[in-house]
Amino acid sequence: MNLAAIKNVGRPRDESRDAAILEATLQVLGEVGYDRLTIDAVAAKAKASKATVYRRWTGKASLVVEAIQTINPHKVPVAGAEPECIWPDTGSLRGDLLAGCRNFVERLNSDEGRLMVAVMTAQARDPELATAMRAATYDDKRRSCRILADRALARGELNSTAGADTFVEVLPAIMFNRLLISGEPFDEAFIAHVVDDIALPLLGHHERAGKP
Amino acid sequence: MNLAAIKNVGRPRDESRDAAILEATLQVLGEVGYDRLTIDAVAAKAKASKATVYRRWTGKASLVVEAIQTINPHKVPVAGAEPECIWPDTGSLRGDLLAGCRNFVERLNSDEGRLMVAVMTAQARDPELATAMRAATYDDKRRSCRILADRALARGELNSTAGADTFVEVLPAIMFNRLLISGEPFDEAFIAHVVDDIALPLLGHHERAGKP
Amino acid sequence: MNLAAIKNVGRPRDESRDAAILEATLQVLGEVGYDRLTIDAVAAKAKASKATVYRRWTGKASLVVEAIQTINPHKVPVAGAEPECIWPDTGSLRGDLLAGCRNFVERLNSDEGRLMVAVMTAQARDPELATAMRAATYDDKRRSCRILADRALARGELNSTAGADTFVEVLPAIMFNRLLISGEPFDEAFIAHVVDDIALPLLGHHERAGKP
Amino acid sequence: MNLAAIKNVGRPRDESRDAAILEATLQVLGEVGYDRLTIDAVAAKAKASKATVYRRWTGKASLVVEAIQTINPHKVPVAGAEPECIWPDTGSLRGDLLAGCRNFVERLNSDEGRLMVAVMTAQARDPELATAMRAATYDDKRRSCRILADRALARGELNSTAGADTFVEVLPAIMFNRLLISGEPFDEAFIAHVVDDIALPLLGHHERAGKP
DNA sequence: TTTTAACCGAGACGGTACGTCACGTCTTGTG
DNA sequence: CACAAGACGTGACGTACCGTCTCGGTTAAAA
């Protein structure tokens, strides 16, 4: 695909330009949103040229996707590497769920949330882009949920894996639905609701320690 | 606001133009998607002028929203009117759920599904579009779910409304998540899974007639 | 070719834009020359959009040619109209020649000369453009020379048309050669040289009144 | 200015690159003309790098000029050397003129003519290019004309140098005018016309041997 | 019946961003 | 050092839509 990359001839790409352009992309994205983001603005902010941008990315969509991915680079799974869980182990299932949801909600309430929304909306246009976005957000969420369920099984808090699959399926759906469709806010009450009314029942964990 | 409408002078609008333009909008939307849809293309296909389009709609978003709404016009609740449920009453909760999900899935697997994806994914860019789309799709789904739960309560199949709210929240989320994010297909197995593993447990309906 | 022009439908072109754009073209041409002239600069100066420029002209070349032509619009012969001679009748052949050459030289030494040079150089690229430029400059010059020769014949200063053709051929060649190739200046000495050493001999007019 | 040339250190320039690049320049020039000729295209065709081109020439203009000059390298006068006339000595003025014009016309009708047109028309944009082109084509022509006139004087065919200067001025002008402006073809009739109706009269040679 | 005012189609208008291309320079690895 | 390869910043290109604005020509209610 790229002769220079294979044969190692010619002036090598200045990798620092990638970083500068992606950084500029995130800035512009935060300032004006996906729709009003222009390649010219990104290039100007990165003190790069449009040609350099187009040499590396096919257009606005792929540029923005990669920019988003740089926020949590560890979330993109490396082939063969052990999936990394970004959610802390608190010692109990309910504690893990609350901590995990809080962690996710925190990120969604920050710039990253707005950026995710901006890019999510672009995925229908480009299947490749959809796959990349899904890996960076949705699949990552599912992996984290799976790890939480496994921890609870290991602790003996759950006695069957039956509900785990459903939980892994439903929780991210609830989260992204609120983010992308209903648009309702993420607050502490919502977190408690998701954990106690949705996650724990689906997991078959009926003794609620923290909600007598 | 509209002198002609008030004073009733001048040439009246040709209402047939609305239909032609909305029809053209749906065609273009299906052909190239929301992003590549242009007002010029819609006007050309409808043999209308751009001025006529802009006389009636403020821009692409509102035009597309109204076009989408024409697909299931009865779903847009008229103020003061009783919300209409498009899901049939089969006599049992599980039957209602299966029938309702099948109905929805059928629509998603048709052109309407593609159109919804096209527009849904664009809603983050335009709050007005988001609200309109939500009313036409998501809120409608929630209404239908609510009615199903109420029917079951009336039949005595449920003895508490506790799970109903959660059910109303989760089921549409699952559906839209699959449509917009995971992209997995909608098939009969998925419908059964949603009904038996998610909906009924959340509703607190543990006796499953069809799944002993 | 142009539906609007034929069927007279749609918003008619604002002819005043043509004038503004051509005027702006001449200004920019004078300021930075043909090579550094950009369509953007012309459009900006004319307070027009690039689309408007490209709607009327195919590119820089044709735009500039037409702009040049506006300088001496009377020189473009109207079909069927009598060719108009821009050179004055002084009463004698030598006087006519001196006056005619002075008139031409005067124009070449003004902005028009620079503009002509600028555009002449573009003609090799575009045959159509070459034809237009030739009509506006070279053919016009030949016409004027022909009229001068006819006047002299009518006055009895010449007794044969033999030299007239050659004169009509040579004099413009000498002029344009100096303008485009040798680049030597046009001064009074050059004019006298052309008239007395080239034009009159070729015309077979050997009695030189003013040069005993 | 050039350390390597002075100190004779480092890798010496590969002189064969010059030839390859100039050859490629002529090819590209013939294929697409001066305006569409790009340094990238030349470098690619010569399998050279742009850096190598720019190391030797300042830009498109000087590159093309030198390429053109390679066509008739003997025409570029070496300082101090006797100017060389490329027109044969036939023994008579009229014979010399016919032979000289035929020689020139022959070259103009070949590739060289097209190249000259391509570059000539671009010279107004670049004074350096203009000077170089003039030396390679126009001045060369004038030199040849001067030599022809001198031969005739030596033979006694002319008895005054008065017309020689005018002849030297007019003949190249007629030639280049036809090539660059009027675009009329060069044929045998034109050659005879130029010799008998323009050149010989201006030279004051009224006995025409070959045209009784 | 005439007037009036808004409608209609077509399409020109000033803008803005697009993605491409060529420029002349710079930066690698290899000889 | 020269060289091939090719990335770099720059800036113009010509195109495509945007939303607005004129045109000439209906169309129907008001005068």
Side-chain angles (χ1 to χ4, degrees):
Chain A
M1 178 169 277
N2 190 325
L3 190 65
I6 296 167
K7 295 190 56 180
N8 210 29
V9 296
R11 176 175 174 176
R13 287 196 179 165
D14 182 349
E15 301 300 339
S16 77
R17 307 316 296 135
D18 290 62
I21 291 167
L22 292 172
E23 167 65 21
T25 302
L26 289 177
Q27 284 185 29
V28 175
L29 206 49
E31 289 166 9
V32 303
Y34 181 84
D35 272 33
R36 294 192 199 282
L37 176 145
T38 68
I39 302 288
D40 289 78
V42 169
K45 180 154 291 197
K47 292 192 184 302
S49 67
K50 278 202 295 177
T52 299
V53 176
Y54 282 106
R55 204 173 283 122
R56 291 146 196 262
W57 295 277
T58 61
K60 191 158 100 169
S62 61
L63 169 63
V64 170
V65 167
E66 191 167 333
I68 298 285
Q69 290 175 341
T70 64
I71 298 176
N72 289 99
H74 63 282
K75 289 167 56 188
V76 180
V78 180
E82 188 69 13
E84 191 178 353
C85 181
I86 60 171
W87 292 355
D89 187 338
T90 63
S92 76
L93 173 56
R94 189 169 185 272
D96 279 9
L97 287 171
L98 286 170
C101 288
R102 282 199 193 98
N103 175 285
F104 183 39
V105 161
E106 193 178 302
R107 292 221 315 278
L108 294 186
N109 280 332
S110 71
D111 276 359
E112 188 185 340
R114 260 188 313 119
L115 299 183
M116 276 188 186
V117 173
V119 181
M120 269 297 183
T121 63
Q123 68 174 292
R125 288 161 253 173
D126 185 343
E128 189 185 351
L129 192 150
T131 303
M133 278 308 303
R134 200 144 52 222
T137 56
Y138 178 70
D139 292 350
D140 168 76
K141 188 102 339 210
R142 289 176 66 106
R143 268 193 305 278
S144 293
C145 287
R146 172 67 61 192
I147 291 170
L148 257 56
D150 290 345
R151 281 187 199 153
L153 281 167
R155 287 189 200 106
E157 289 177 291
L158 300 177
N159 46 22
S160 103
T161 62
D165 292 344
T166 304
F167 159 75
V168 167
E169 178 185 4
V170 169
L171 196 117
I174 291 288
M175 291 293 201
F176 281 97
N177 184 72
R178 185 164 277 239
L179 178 64
L180 299 176
I181 299 177
S182 78
E184 294 162 284
F186 293 95
D187 51 21
E188 194 62 27
F190 171 70
I191 293 172
H193 164 61
V194 166
V195 169
D196 292 325
D197 302 334
I198 299 173
L200 292 176
L202 287 173
L203 284 162
H205 181 89
H206 295 291
E207 283 97 60
R208 305 177 190 172
K211 209 172 180 183
Chain B
M1 178 168 276
N2 190 324
L3 191 63
I6 296 167
K7 295 189 60 179
N8 210 28
V9 295
R11 174 177 174 177
R13 285 193 181 167
D14 180 350
E15 300 299 340
S16 76
R17 305 316 296 134
D18 289 60
I21 292 167
L22 291 172
E23 168 65 19
T25 301
L26 288 179
Q27 284 185 27
V28 175
L29 204 51
E31 290 166 9
V32 301
Y34 180 85
D35 275 40
R36 294 195 198 280
L37 176 144
T38 68
I39 302 288
D40 289 76
V42 170
K45 180 154 288 197
K47 289 193 184 301
S49 71
K50 282 201 293 176
T52 301
V53 176
Y54 280 104
R55 205 174 284 123
R56 291 146 198 260
W57 294 278
T58 61
K60 189 157 105 170
S62 62
L63 170 63
V64 169
V65 166
E66 192 167 331
I68 296 282
Q69 290 174 342
T70 63
I71 298 176
N72 290 100
H74 62 282
K75 288 167 57 189
V76 180
V78 179
E82 190 67 14
E84 191 178 354
C85 182
I86 59 171
W87 292 356
D89 187 340
T90 64
S92 75
L93 173 56
R94 189 168 184 273
D96 279 7
L97 287 171
L98 286 170
C101 287
R102 283 200 193 97
N103 175 284
F104 184 38
V105 161
E106 193 178 302
R107 292 221 315 278
L108 294 186
N109 280 332
S110 70
D111 277 0
E112 188 185 340
R114 262 192 308 121
L115 296 182
M116 276 189 186
V117 172
V119 181
M120 265 299 184
T121 60
Q123 69 173 291
R125 305 214 270 287
D126 186 338
E128 187 189 352
L129 176 63
T131 303
M133 278 308 303
R134 200 146 51 225
T137 57
Y138 179 70
D139 291 351
D140 168 77
K141 186 104 337 215
R142 289 177 65 107
R143 268 193 305 279
S144 293
C145 287
R146 172 67 62 193
I147 290 170
L148 256 55
D150 290 346
R151 281 187 200 153
L153 281 168
R155 286 189 201 105
E157 289 177 291
L158 299 177
N159 47 21
S160 103
T161 62
D165 292 343
T166 303
F167 159 74
V168 168
E169 179 186 3
V170 169
L171 195 118
I174 291 288
M175 291 293 201
F176 281 97
N177 184 73
R178 185 164 277 239
L179 177 64
L180 301 176
I181 298 177
S182 78
E184 295 162 284
F186 293 96
D187 52 20
E188 193 62 28
F190 171 69
I191 292 172
H193 163 62
V194 166
V195 170
D196 293 324
D197 301 333
I198 301 173
L200 292 175
L202 287 173
L203 283 162
H205 180 90
H206 294 291
E207 284 95 60
R208 303 176 192 173
K211 210 171 182 182
Chain C
M1 178 168 278
N2 189 326
L3 190 65
I6 296 167
K7 295 190 56 181
N8 211 29
V9 296
R11 175 174 175 176
R13 288 196 177 164
D14 181 349
E15 301 300 339
S16 76
R17 304 318 295 131
D18 289 61
I21 292 168
L22 291 172
E23 167 66 19
T25 302
L26 289 178
Q27 283 184 30
V28 175
L29 207 50
E31 288 166 9
V32 302
Y34 180 85
D35 271 33
R36 294 192 198 283
L37 176 144
T38 68
I39 302 288
D40 289 78
V42 169
K45 179 153 291 196
K47 291 191 184 304
S49 69
K50 278 203 295 176
T52 300
V53 176
Y54 281 106
R55 204 173 284 123
R56 291 146 197 263
W57 294 279
T58 60
K60 191 158 102 168
S62 62
L63 170 62
V64 170
V65 167
E66 191 167 333
I68 297 285
Q69 290 175 342
T70 64
I71 298 177
N72 289 99
H74 63 282
K75 287 168 58 189
V76 180
V78 180
E82 189 67 15
E84 191 178 353
C85 181
I86 59 171
W87 291 356
D89 187 338
T90 64
S92 76
L93 173 56
R94 188 167 185 273
D96 279 8
L97 288 170
L98 286 171
C101 288
R102 282 199 193 98
N103 173 286
F104 184 39
V105 161
E106 192 178 302
R107 293 220 314 277
L108 295 186
N109 280 332
S110 71
D111 275 0
E112 188 185 340
R114 260 189 312 119
L115 299 183
M116 276 188 186
V117 173
V119 181
M120 268 298 184
T121 64
Q123 68 174 292
R125 289 162 252 174
D126 185 343
E128 188 184 351
L129 192 150
T131 303
M133 278 307 303
R134 201 144 52 223
T137 57
Y138 178 69
D139 292 350
D140 169 77
K141 187 103 338 212
R142 290 177 64 106
R143 270 194 303 279
S144 293
C145 287
R146 172 68 61 191
I147 291 170
L148 257 56
D150 290 344
R151 280 188 200 151
L153 280 167
R155 286 190 201 104
E157 290 178 288
L158 300 177
N159 47 22
S160 103
T161 62
D165 291 344
T166 303
F167 159 73
V168 167
E169 178 185 4
V170 170
L171 195 119
I174 291 288
M175 291 293 201
F176 282 97
N177 184 73
R178 185 164 278 239
L179 178 64
L180 300 176
I181 299 177
S182 78
E184 295 162 283
F186 292 96
D187 51 22
E188 193 62 27
F190 171 70
I191 293 173
H193 164 60
V194 167
V195 170
D196 292 324
D197 301 332
I198 300 173
L200 292 175
L202 286 174
L203 283 162
H205 180 90
H206 294 292
E207 283 96 62
R208 305 176 190 174
K211 209 172 180 182
Chain D
M1 177 164 279
N2 191 324
L3 191 63
I6 297 167
K7 296 188 60 180
N8 210 26
V9 295
R11 174 175 172 178
R13 283 193 182 170
D14 179 350
E15 301 299 340
S16 76
R17 306 316 295 134
D18 290 59
I21 292 167
L22 291 172
E23 168 64 19
T25 302
L26 288 179
Q27 283 184 29
V28 175
L29 203 51
E31 288 166 10
V32 302
Y34 180 84
D35 274 40
R36 295 194 197 281
L37 176 145
T38 68
I39 302 289
D40 289 78
V42 169
K45 180 155 288 198
K47 290 195 182 302
S49 72
K50 282 201 293 176
T52 301
V53 176
Y54 281 105
R55 204 174 286 124
R56 291 145 198 264
W57 295 278
T58 61
K60 188 158 106 169
S62 62
L63 170 62
V64 170
V65 166
E66 191 167 332
I68 296 281
Q69 290 173 343
T70 64
I71 298 176
N72 290 99
H74 62 281
K75 288 167 57 188
V76 180
V78 180
E82 188 68 14
E84 191 179 354
C85 181
I86 60 170
W87 292 356
D89 187 339
T90 64
S92 75
L93 172 56
R94 187 166 185 274
D96 280 7
L97 287 172
L98 286 170
C101 288
R102 282 198 192 99
N103 175 285
F104 183 39
V105 161
E106 194 177 302
R107 293 220 316 276
L108 294 187
N109 279 334
S110 70
D111 277 0
E112 188 185 340
R114 263 192 307 122
L115 295 182
M116 276 189 186
V117 172
V119 181
M120 266 298 183
T121 59
Q123 69 172 290
R125 307 214 268 287
D126 187 338
E128 187 188 352
L129 176 64
T131 303
M133 278 308 303
R134 201 146 49 225
T137 57
Y138 179 71
D139 292 350
D140 168 77
K141 187 105 339 216
R142 289 176 66 105
R143 268 193 305 279
S144 293
C145 286
R146 171 67 61 193
I147 291 170
L148 256 54
D150 290 345
R151 281 187 200 153
L153 280 167
R155 285 190 203 105
E157 288 178 291
L158 300 178
N159 46 21
S160 102
T161 62
D165 291 345
T166 302
F167 160 73
V168 167
E169 177 185 4
V170 169
L171 195 117
I174 290 289
M175 291 294 200
F176 281 97
N177 183 74
R178 185 163 276 239
L179 178 63
L180 302 176
I181 299 178
S182 78
E184 294 162 284
F186 293 96
D187 52 21
E188 194 62 27
F190 171 70
I191 293 172
H193 164 61
V194 166
V195 170
D196 292 323
D197 301 333
I198 300 173
L200 292 176
L202 287 173
L203 283 162
H205 180 89
H206 294 291
E207 281 97 61
R208 303 175 192 174
K211 209 172 181 181

